[in-house]
């Protein structure tokens, strides 16, 4: 097991106050403050000294956040500044990158001067991301990349991309991949907005045509790409799944408000009582999602986690779709009217946050709940196989060269 | 507002699980369901003497363990998991809570020690034909008769009413709803064992014909008190349902791992696997609902208990029934046979869903409670 340096909470809080003395976030700009935070070892406290950390237990990061909140008005949110770089990319570089890469990349990653994106999914590799087809061919000191990536959040403003590509198609699929750090400004990288069902482009498609990546920007060894990718995914910040923390909070609250504001507009008593039962069922599901995640947290704390922690993603995705479908139904014919000119634009990141509770928007956006981050079908496989221990589906792609595995577009 | 089971809770659960798994094997269940009494007196005696289960929530001064509703919920969950045939729900939950909440000191002192010791089976005679599930709608009257009371009328769906030593009867006086005690074999009491869908839980119809009873209810109208007794019963029943749902999931999963068709375990087919995954979600949510209710009951949190119990009864009823139905489906033809245990869970699930109000009934209550 890992051993951590020791520093008690008071000492850590003192260090945070020293940081504020050196660079008060209410007085200096974001890059200056966060640069100082990195230099004080308070970016990722579990990282080594010199790389933004102090070698402490990662749990102590909450103390840093707490002390900053107590003393400063300006509080920065990693999830807005550089979610993929800070949350996933930095740990991957720390584990697999050269010293030179760590020195060059970690600081601007944390300050937000350089935003990162993740290039894993492809049109032909969604749930089966290990089947990806973007080719990497060695050419002298470089690798030559060709292919297409999709669902790439932030690619249009990113400096770096975490990319997995097929470096040896003759090997079975998990063995023939390599992991690269791609300069998103390199020639041959073409980022195009991907407009989704909401009419907006939260994501991008990234086309790679004869893009050169120096061999020195490979993370891990040639052929080790899948293993490195798993490190990235394991560090994915667990989003606040498990519903709202408060009773009746979140989407169900919005739905019930909508109903209260729109009820009895020309509906019969019979229709009202049917709707009331539908709402009550949704309320119960929302409550039980909340209570189950509360139960999971308690079990986690007591060191005795059970299956209650694994059902949240599936349950939440399916519930939220139903809640927002009902949202349009309670508004009745008013739902025929949508925001004018909502089509084809890019939302600001703050924008997304504000709109998490907007019924008409969420009616469309929530369709992705059961697709992104593991489809509900994949989640059911995981529950069936990892929690219940059911046997896996017989595989037709195991042990055979990737190039011989049948695949579509 | 938390559900933290302590290590003592976990130990209690393990002790009970070991005991009921041993005593409620399939052969034993089948023996009891075809017997008229419906339980094994030796097992009942062990539950009292060895495990102290019958007095879990009875205060120590009355010979009980003086524990709370969380422990009672654990016991119900474990018993529901193995379909234990015993008058636990009737005696140790419904009748005991009726005595604790609604009865005078003398009746408590007389009956509770005997219940805790396993010497007295007690049943709560509450429901009346075509009167629904709300205490306020009950009509049976008790008439003062000398120094006692006279009961006339019919009670039905009385759990273990045919075999109970003592019946606790809810009836009206001029003051309102009250509680009466009468021996099961007293004159004027005619008990009829009902032929039930669920063979593992006996129900009786009881006709009172000038039956002489003793009033044990405290002074005044006890409508709200008996309501609370029912609400606590519902919370405990939800825990039993959660246990049953969990067992159905386990049975389906075990079978799906070993049953081979088309050259592979059927659990490797996503059609079966995904059904099991959905059962898992249902079983976990059912536990959350039941635990929420029993913890609120343990905290005597009346403000939260009503909604929590209504939510638990609605959700656990449906989750258990779905799990029992899915279990039959996963077992295929085997699951449809009398020989297999799946139908016993299926019948228990539907019956417990209907007892004390079906899911729709409880959603309507919940809706009112939370302003939907």
């Amino acid at each position: 097991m890992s051993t951590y340096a020791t520093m008690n909470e008071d000492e850590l809080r003192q260090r945070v106050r020293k940081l504020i003395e050196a660079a008060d976030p209410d007085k200096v700009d974001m890059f200056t403050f966060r640069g100082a935070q990195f230099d004080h070892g308070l970016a990722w406290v579990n990282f080594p000294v010199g790389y933004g950390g102090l070698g402490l237990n990662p749990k102590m990061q909450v103390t840093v956040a707490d002390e900053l909140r107590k003393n400063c008005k300006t509080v920065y949110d990693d999830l807005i500044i550089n979610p993929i770089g800070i949350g996933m990319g930095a740990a991957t570089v720390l584990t697999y990158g050269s010293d030179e890469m760590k020195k060059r990349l970690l600081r601007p990653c944390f300050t937000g001067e350089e935003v990162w994106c993740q290039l894993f999914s492809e049109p032909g590799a969604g749930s089966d991301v290990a089947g990806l087809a973007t080719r990497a061919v060695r050419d002298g000191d470089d690798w030559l990349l060709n292919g297409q990536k999709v669902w790439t959040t932030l690619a249009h403003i990113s400096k770096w991309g975490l990319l997995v590509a097929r470096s040896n198609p003759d090997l079975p699929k998990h063995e023939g991949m390599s992991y690269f750090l791609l300069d998103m400004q390199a020639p041959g990288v073409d980022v195009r907005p991907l407009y989704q069902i909401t009419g907006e482009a939260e994501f991008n498609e990234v086309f790679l045509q004869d893009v050169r990546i120096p061999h020195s920007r490979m993370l891990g060894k040639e052929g080790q790409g899948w293993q490195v990718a798993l490190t990235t995914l394991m560090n994915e910040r667990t989003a606040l799944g498990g519903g709202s923390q408060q009773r009746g909070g979140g989407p169900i609250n919005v739905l019930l408000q909508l109903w209260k504001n729109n009820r009895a507009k020309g509906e019969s008593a019979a229709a009202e009582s049917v709707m009331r039962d539908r709402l009550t069922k949704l309320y119960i599901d929302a409550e039980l999602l909340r209570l189950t995640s509360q139960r999971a947290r308690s079990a986690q704390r007591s060191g005795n986690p059970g299956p209650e922690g694994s059902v949240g993603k599936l349950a939440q995705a399916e519930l939220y779709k139903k809640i927002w479908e009902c949202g349009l139904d309670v508004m009745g014919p008013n739902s025929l009217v949508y925001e004018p000119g909502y089509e084809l634009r890019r939302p600001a990141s703050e924008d997304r946050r504000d709109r998490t509770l907007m019924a008409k928007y969420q009616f469309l956006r929530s369709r992705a709940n059961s697709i992104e981050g593991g489809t509900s079908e994949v989640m059911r496989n995981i529950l069936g196989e990892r929690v219940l221990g059911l046997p896996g589906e017989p595989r037709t792609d195991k042990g055979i060269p990737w190039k011989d595995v049948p695949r579509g577009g | 507002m938390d559900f933290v089971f302590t290590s003592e809770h976990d130990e209690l659960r393990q002790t009970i699980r070991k005991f009921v798994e041993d005593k409620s094997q399939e052969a034993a269940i089948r023996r009891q369901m075809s017997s008229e009494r419906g339980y094994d007196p030796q097992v009942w005696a062990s539950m009292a003497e060895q495990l102290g289960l019958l007095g879990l929530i009875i205060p120590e001064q009355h010979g009980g363990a003086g524990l709370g509703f969380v422990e009672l919920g654990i016991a119900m969950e474990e018993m529901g998991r193995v379909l234990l045939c015993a008058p636990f729900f009737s005696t140790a939950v419904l009748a005991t809570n009726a005595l604790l909440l609604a009865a005078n000191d003398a009746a408590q002192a007389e009956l509770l020690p005997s219940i805790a010791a396993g010497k007295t089976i007690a049943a709560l005679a509450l429901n009346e034909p075509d009167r629904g599930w709300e205490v306020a709608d009950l009509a049976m009257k008790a008439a003062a008769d000398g120094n006692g009371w006279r009961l006339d009328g019919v009670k039905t769906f009385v759990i273990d009413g045919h075999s109970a030593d003592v019946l606790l009867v809810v009836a009206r006086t001029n003051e309102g709803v009250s509680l009466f005690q009468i021996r099961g074999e007293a004159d004027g009491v005619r008990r009829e064992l009902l032929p039930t869908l669920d063979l593992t839980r006996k129900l009786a119809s009881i006709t009172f014909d000038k039956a002489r009873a003793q009033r044990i209810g405290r002074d005044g109208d006890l409508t709200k008190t008996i309501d609370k007794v029912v609400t606590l019963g519902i919370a405990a029943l939800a825990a039993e349902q959660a246990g049953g749902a969990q067992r159905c999931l386990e049975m389906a999963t075990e079978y799906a791992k070993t049953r081979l068709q088309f050259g592979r375990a059927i659990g490797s087919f996503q059609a079966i696997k995904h059904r099991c995954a959905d059962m898992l979600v249902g079983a976990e949510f059912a536990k959350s609902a039941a635990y929420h209710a029993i913890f609120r009951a343990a905290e005597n949190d009346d403000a939260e208990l009503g909604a929590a119990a209504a939510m638990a009864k609605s959700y656990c009823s449906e989750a258990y029934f779905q799990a029992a139905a899915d279990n039959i489906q996963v077992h295929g033809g085997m699951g449809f046979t009398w020989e297999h245990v799946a139908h016993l869970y299926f019948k228990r699930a539907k019956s417990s869903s209907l007892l004390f109000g079906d899911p729709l009934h409880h959603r309507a209550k919940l809706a009112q409670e939370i302003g939907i």
Side-chain angles (χ1 to χ4, degrees):
Chain A
M1 291 310 293
S2 335
T3 49
Y4 300 113
T6 48
M7 174 179 279
N8 69 31
E9 205 187 302
D10 283 344
E11 288 171 320
L12 186 58
R13 285 186 190 277
Q14 230 165 46
R15 200 175 172 89
V16 175
R17 288 195 294 274
K18 262 196 200 148
L19 158 67
I20 299 167
E21 272 171 40
D24 187 337
D26 294 332
K27 292 178 186 145
V28 302
D29 67 25
M30 179 172 89
F31 296 153
T32 308
F33 166 70
R34 288 179 68 89
Q37 184 176 353
F38 181 93
D39 297 338
H40 278 74
L42 298 170
W44 303 273
V45 294
N46 56 313
F47 278 30
V49 175
Y51 294 126
L54 297 166
L56 302 176
N57 187 316
K59 286 181 184 165
M60 296 188 77
Q61 193 69 42
V62 294
T63 305
V64 176
D66 183 60
E67 192 63 28
L68 283 174
R69 255 197 312 274
K70 262 197 225 158
N71 292 287
C72 313
K73 274 200 270 301
T74 311
V75 174
Y76 295 107
D77 184 346
D78 295 348
L79 289 177
I80 288 183
I81 293 167
N82 184 12
I84 292 161
I86 296 171
M88 301 152 75
T92 310
V93 166
L94 187 71
T95 311
Y96 291 102
S98 61
D99 284 349
E100 199 193 336
M101 283 173 115
K102 293 178 203 170
K103 287 206 179 86
R104 162 67 186 83
L105 294 167
L106 292 176
R107 198 173 188 275
C109 169
F110 184 75
T111 61
E113 283 155 281
E114 292 180 350
V115 173
W116 296 30
C117 63
Q118 178 195 302
L119 301 138
F120 288 8
S121 295
E122 297 180 3
S127 293
D128 180 19
V129 70
L132 56 84
T134 292
R135 289 281 284 115
V137 177
R138 185 75 191 244
D139 182 28
D141 285 341
D142 295 337
W143 289 83
L144 214 51
L145 277 283
N146 279 285
Q148 183 191 347
K149 296 289 180 178
V150 76
W151 302 118
T152 320
T153 320
L154 303 171
H156 56 297
I157 54 168
S158 284
K159 165 66 181 166
W160 300 107
L162 300 162
L163 178 139
V164 186
R166 179 94 23 218
S167 50
N168 187 344
D170 296 323
L171 290 173
K173 67 178 189 181
H174 288 96
E175 295 162 34
M177 288 178 275
S178 297
Y179 194 114
F180 300 91
L181 191 68
L182 170 67
D183 181 344
M184 295 297 288
Q185 272 82 60
V189 179
D190 181 13
V191 178
R192 300 180 201 165
L194 177 58
Y195 294 101
Q196 68 225 31
I197 189 171
T198 58
E200 301 171 333
E202 288 169 64
F203 306 95
N204 301 279
E205 296 176 286
V206 178
F207 295 83
L208 305 166
Q209 198 179 2
D210 293 330
V211 176
R212 283 191 175 272
I213 305 184
H215 181 70
S216 60
R217 295 221 185 107
M218 182 182 279
L219 284 160
K221 296 192 181 68
E222 184 181 342
Q224 217 185 354
W226 184 243
Q227 198 185 322
V228 183
L230 289 181
T231 305
T232 307
L233 294 172
M234 259 167 22
N235 281 288
E236 191 163 4
R237 291 248 163 124
T238 19
L240 281 174
S244 166
Q245 306 297 306
Q246 264 141 39
R247 181 166 55 182
I252 188 67
N253 186 37
V254 176
L255 176 62
L256 294 178
Q257 277 307 324
L258 275 179
W259 174 70
K260 280 172 188 159
N261 299 340
N262 287 276
R263 60 186 291 208
K265 286 184 186 155
E267 267 311 341
S268 68
E272 266 238 329
S273 68
V274 174
M275 177 55 85
R276 209 176 263 131
D277 191 50
R278 183 174 168 197
L279 292 169
T280 310
K281 277 184 180 165
L282 292 171
Y283 173 87
I284 292 174
D285 282 346
E287 262 298 89
L288 294 180
L289 177 65
R290 181 182 73 83
L291 291 166
T292 302
S293 87
Q294 190 180 324
R295 196 154 70 81
R297 280 196 303 276
S298 300
Q300 198 93 44
R301 267 200 304 276
S302 68
N304 198 12
E308 65 279 337
S310 319
V311 300
K313 161 77 171 81
L314 170 63
Q316 177 168 316
E318 297 305 318
L319 172 63
Y320 282 8
K321 285 192 293 185
K322 282 194 221 162
I323 287 178
W324 297 120
E325 287 161 21
C326 191
L328 259 64
D329 293 343
V330 299
M331 291 187 284
N334 290 334
S335 301
L336 294 169
V337 180
Y338 207 82
E339 302 173 53
Y342 73 89
E343 305 92 342
L344 307 187
R345 69 175 183 216
R346 266 195 199 280
S349 49
E350 295 82 4
D351 216 33
R352 275 171 70 189
R353 193 150 296 207
D354 294 340
R355 278 130 56 77
T356 52
L357 297 177
M358 282 175 51
K360 288 180 182 176
Y361 172 77
Q362 283 298 336
F363 168 67
L364 299 173
R365 183 62 181 80
S366 64
R367 300 325 292 180
N369 290 173
S370 54
I371 301 169
E372 60 198 352
T375 65
S376 285
E377 289 69 28
V378 165
M379 295 319 293
R380 287 190 180 94
N381 281 349
I382 291 173
L383 292 178
E385 291 168 25
R386 299 204 198 140
V387 179
L388 298 175
L390 293 169
E393 191 91 7
R395 302 277 295 256
T396 52
D397 58 358
K398 226 170 199 168
I400 60 170
W402 173 83
K403 65 177 168 40
D404 298 331
V405 176
R407 56 178 196 282
Chain B
M1 290 274 280
D2 221 340
F3 335 60
V4 187
F5 288 110
T6 63
S7 55
E8 285 81 12
H9 290 143
D10 294 340
E11 268 170 48
L12 177 73
R13 183 188 291 283
Q14 288 316 316
T15 307
I16 298 174
R17 179 169 297 188
K18 197 161 161 260
F19 177 84
V20 296
E21 280 186 349
D22 180 44
K23 302 297 180 194
S24 188
Q25 292 176 21
E26 191 181 334
I29 298 172
R30 289 183 187 272
R31 247 193 332 274
Q32 296 316 325
M33 61 189 230
S34 58
S35 78
E36 191 184 314
R37 187 196 281 121
Y39 69 95
D40 180 343
Q42 275 183 330
V43 172
W44 187 250
S46 304
M47 285 168 73
E49 291 153 19
Q50 227 177 289
L51 291 132
L53 283 181
L54 306 187
L56 267 186
I57 57 167
I58 293 175
E60 290 176 37
Q61 67 181 95
H62 291 309
L67 295 173
F69 217 83
V70 174
E71 289 82 359
L72 192 72
I74 290 171
M76 283 292 282
E77 187 183 354
E78 292 303 319
M79 292 175 194
R81 196 171 157 271
V82 297
L83 288 182
L84 178 77
C85 297
F88 186 84
F89 182 47
S90 54
T91 301
V93 181
L94 293 171
T96 296
N97 275 316
L99 287 167
L100 287 172
L101 271 59
N104 58 39
D105 294 350
Q108 290 188 353
E110 181 200 340
L111 291 171
L112 290 173
S114 169
I115 286 176
K119 308 287 186 213
T120 294
I121 310 284
L124 182 65
L126 182 76
N127 298 97
E128 295 163 18
D130 304 319
R131 282 278 164 189
W133 297 99
E134 294 301 318
V135 175
D137 296 333
L138 296 176
M140 187 166 148
K141 291 212 162 61
D145 182 17
N147 57 356
W149 292 77
R150 208 184 66 203
L151 298 176
D152 282 286
V154 179
K155 291 286 185 182
T156 191
F157 311 130
V158 182
I159 301 169
D160 300 315
H162 70 299
S163 61
D165 304 301
V166 170
L167 301 171
L168 303 179
V169 186
V170 177
R172 284 182 186 281
T173 69
N174 292 337
E175 287 177 53
V177 167
S178 191
L179 190 65
F180 298 83
Q181 172 189 343
I182 186 168
R183 304 282 318 161
E185 290 174 345
D187 288 342
V189 177
R190 201 171 69 245
R191 305 194 281 181
E192 186 195 342
L193 180 61
L194 295 169
T196 40
L197 169 69
D198 174 12
L199 298 164
T200 62
R201 179 143 51 211
K202 309 288 185 186
L203 301 178
S205 164
I206 305 180
T207 305
F208 298 90
D209 181 11
K210 299 190 191 68
R212 286 186 57 83
Q214 201 186 334
R215 177 174 171 177
I216 58 168
R218 295 182 184 164
D219 293 342
D221 175 29
L222 299 177
T223 304
K224 282 207 169 128
T225 312
I226 301 295
D227 250 344
K228 170 107 186 247
V229 170
V230 172
T231 303
L232 292 172
I234 283 169
L237 191 56
E240 184 193 273
Q241 293 173 317
Q246 172 65 28
R247 185 65 198 127
C248 288
L249 165 67
E250 289 166 13
M251 279 190 280
T253 308
E254 282 157 28
Y255 188 73
K257 285 178 196 173
T258 52
R259 168 75 174 174
L260 303 178
Q261 290 285 277
F262 307 99
R264 42 196 273 217
I266 60 168
S268 68
F269 291 103
Q270 293 192 344
I272 302 290
K273 186 179 294 167
H274 289 188
R275 193 184 283 272
C276 291
D278 287 337
M279 287 169 84
L280 172 67
V281 177
E284 288 303 323
F285 272 35
K287 284 180 213 169
S288 300
Y291 297 165
H292 179 53
I294 66 172
F295 273 84
R296 302 296 79 80
E299 290 159 3
N300 214 7
D301 184 350
D302 283 344
E304 294 284 336
L305 179 61
M311 184 164 78
K313 184 61 168 54
S314 169
Y315 191 88
C316 295
S317 291
E318 291 187 344
Y320 187 12
F321 182 73
Q322 188 63 49
D326 283 342
N327 186 39
I328 290 178
Q329 185 65 24
V330 169
H331 278 81
M334 179 62 83
F336 182 67
T337 63
W338 186 268
E339 180 193 343
H340 198 276
V341 77
H343 72 104
L344 303 181
Y345 283 87
F346 182 75
K347 292 166 182 172
R348 169 68 74 86
K350 181 45 89 180
S351 306
S352 66
S353 167
L354 295 169
L355 275 176
F356 297 105
D358 69 6
L360 190 59
H361 176 89
H362 286 285
R363 280 200 298 277
K365 281 186 92 159
L366 177 64
Q368 219 156 23
E369 194 99 24
I370 60 178
I372 289 181

